[in-house]
Amino acid sequence: MALSAAPLKVCVVGSGNWGSAVAKIIGNNVKKLQKFASTVNMWVFEENINGRKLTDIINNDHENVKYLPGFKLPDNVVAIPNLREAVQDADLLVFVIPHQFIRKVCDEITGQVPRKALGITLIKGIDEGPEGLKLISDIIREKMGIDISVLMGANIASEVAAEKFCETTIGCKILENGLLFKELLQTPNFRITVVDDADAVELCGALKNIVAVGAGFCDGLCYGDNTKAAVIRLGLMEMIAFAKFFCKGQVSTATFLESCGIADLITTCYGGRNRRVAEAFVKTGKSIEELENEMLNGQKLQGPQTSAEVYRILKQKEMLDKFPLFTAVYQICYEGRPVEEIIACLQSHPEHK
């Protein structure tokens, strides 16, 4: 894309903990880079917090007190509650909302942004289409007609906001677009590698949350670190097998050695909300939905829902037996399969045949 002389306007679509952490990076970066407009719009789903609007709190106190408390946002990040107004004339769109809302958001903003706009999705999830698997980037690309890159990595939001060192991966179809987003997002402590294997990068971000639920079950059952390591390794093998089967292009196994692969898998299986809620599922006997409401302060859980989407796709293709860990996570979450059977699926895993 030939860059026009006018600076590029950036809009962050979403403002949860990860969206706010990314807005903090972008807000600080655009102050120093002539290529980008100095004001960053952030779409905020309006809520009332102790009698004040969340957008007013962000715009006056420069802190997202609900989703990223304790961190100041740059004063050039402007919270806007109206989605269409937030994205108006944006050149670069950064999508970071729960994956179940993406279709609705795209429908609302199509026609509001220039055709030459570019997007990047930080959304960890997948969707189902009539033919099976549908990547979030595919939904945005089809609905909006713009090129989409993806960013996935071992990036726990509060640690990124605290500027602790971490890595991440941008996957793109058009290299110069991936490199443009690297320029927008990279900092000394947020290091970005750009790869051209966008579909595998995106699948890593979705599938690792299923494995993290399995890891949380192990923690809830007090099965120890060796068992959890087996869950992580077998989960990684299922992630690779799933990507190779479902990605239309060639998938490079090397992509799984990037931050979006093994690193994100490890951090999610030891930290992260999916692991935490899965552990509580075992210890409390409550449903996933109840725990999401109790534990996540309005945030959405991605792992169980992704396991349901993957389960339906695998069932349709008659491939459940090749993915025993993914299958067990779904059945334990939603069909009442005893959680102890996570071990049976490890014992008889095809990897051990």
Side-chain angles (χ1 to χ4, degrees):
M1 156 180 156
L3 292 175
S4 57
L8 298 166
K9 292 172 69 173
V10 183
C11 176
V12 180
V13 182
S15 57
N17 65 342
W18 188 211
S20 299
V22 167
K24 180 175 183 271
I25 288 176
I26 294 172
N28 285 324
N29 277 355
V30 299
K31 288 180 180 179
K32 304 186 285 252
L33 298 166
Q34 302 298 308
K35 187 180 285 187
F36 305 105
S38 57
T39 298
V40 176
N41 285 0
M42 177 168 74
W43 174 56
V44 174
F45 183 79
E46 191 68 279
E47 299 177 59
N48 273 320
I49 312 286
N50 299 327
R52 291 178 72 195
K53 288 181 174 173
L54 183 56
T55 50
D56 289 345
I57 297 172
I58 292 171
N59 289 333
N60 292 310
D61 304 350
H62 306 294
E63 183 184 348
N64 188 335
V65 292
K66 177 155 187 188
Y67 296 110
L68 195 70
F71 295 101
K72 282 291 178 201
L73 296 175
D75 55 11
N76 59 330
V77 172
V78 178
I80 300 175
N82 180 304
L83 176 58
R84 294 169 76 106
E85 185 187 328
V87 303
Q88 190 83 48
D89 299 328
D91 300 294
L92 302 176
L93 295 164
V94 180
F95 291 94
V96 54
I97 54 175
H99 80 271
Q100 47 270 49
F101 302 137
I102 192 62
R103 289 177 185 275
K104 185 167 174 284
V105 162
C106 285
D107 286 340
E108 197 167 327
I109 63 179
T110 298
Q112 297 298 301
V113 295
R115 298 296 289 180
K116 69 178 194 324
L118 302 174
I120 190 165
T121 167
L122 283 61
I123 298 169
K124 294 181 172 175
I126 55 173
D127 204 84
E128 301 158 82
E131 299 83 47
L133 180 72
K134 201 74 162 158
L135 295 172
I136 302 301
S137 60
D138 289 335
I139 295 170
I140 303 170
R141 198 178 287 111
E142 286 169 21
K143 284 186 171 287
M144 298 190 63
I146 63 175
D147 184 64
I148 296 286
S149 302
V150 299
L151 181 146
M152 305 281 152
N155 307 140
I156 290 172
S158 57
E159 295 182 18
V160 173
E163 297 178 27
K164 295 179 179 174
F165 180 86
C166 70
E167 303 174 307
T168 200
T169 311
I170 287 179
C172 57
K173 309 271 189 192
I174 299 169
L175 189 60
E176 68 178 303
N177 295 346
L179 292 170
L180 179 64
F181 280 111
K182 175 175 178 171
E183 206 176 335
L184 177 69
L185 289 158
Q186 181 159 271
T187 74
N189 281 326
F190 189 64
R191 306 310 290 174
I192 298 172
T193 304
V194 180
V195 300
D196 61 1
D197 196 1
D199 292 354
V201 171
E202 187 169 356
L203 273 173
C204 282
L207 298 174
K208 57 96 192 184
N209 282 330
I210 306 178
V211 185
V213 174
F217 291 157
C218 287
D219 289 343
L221 293 162
C222 301
Y223 279 164
D225 285 338
N226 297 339
T227 307
K228 191 157 150 178
V231 167
I232 292 170
R233 189 189 80 83
L234 293 170
L236 179 64
M237 300 313 287
E238 291 192 18
M239 285 167 61
I240 294 170
F242 189 94
K244 289 197 163 167
F245 188 83
F246 286 95
C247 284
K248 298 166 203 65
Q250 284 302 103
V251 168
S252 166
T253 306
T255 301
F256 293 85
L257 299 177
E258 296 289 348
S259 182
C260 60
I262 189 68
D264 197 6
L265 181 61
I266 291 168
T267 197
T268 310
C269 287
Y270 279 91
R273 63 186 84 151
N274 290 282
R275 187 216 64 79
R276 197 158 42 94
V277 171
E279 180 182 32
F281 176 85
V282 178
K283 291 187 167 170
T284 65
K286 293 179 178 176
S287 73
I288 292 290
E289 290 77 9
E290 281 177 275
L291 293 166
E292 182 180 65
N293 291 334
E294 281 178 26
M295 296 174 68
L296 295 186
N297 185 33
Q299 295 176 88
K300 291 291 176 203
L301 202 61
Q302 302 294 315
Q305 187 158 352
T306 303
S307 80
E309 284 145 356
V310 165
Y311 180 84
R312 287 193 287 268
I313 291 165
L314 291 173
K315 191 171 184 184
Q316 183 193 335
K317 304 277 186 194
E318 298 181 352
M319 292 181 67
L320 290 172
D321 58 327
K322 291 186 168 57
F323 295 88
L325 180 62
F326 287 178
T327 301
V329 166
Y330 165 76
Q331 290 172 336
I332 291 165
C333 284
Y334 294 112
E335 293 190 344
R337 184 173 175 181
V339 70
E340 295 76 12
E341 288 190 16
I342 196 83
I343 288 300
C345 90
L346 302 179
Q347 290 167 336
S348 61
H349 202 281
E351 278 283 302
H352 299 143
K353 296 278 162 63

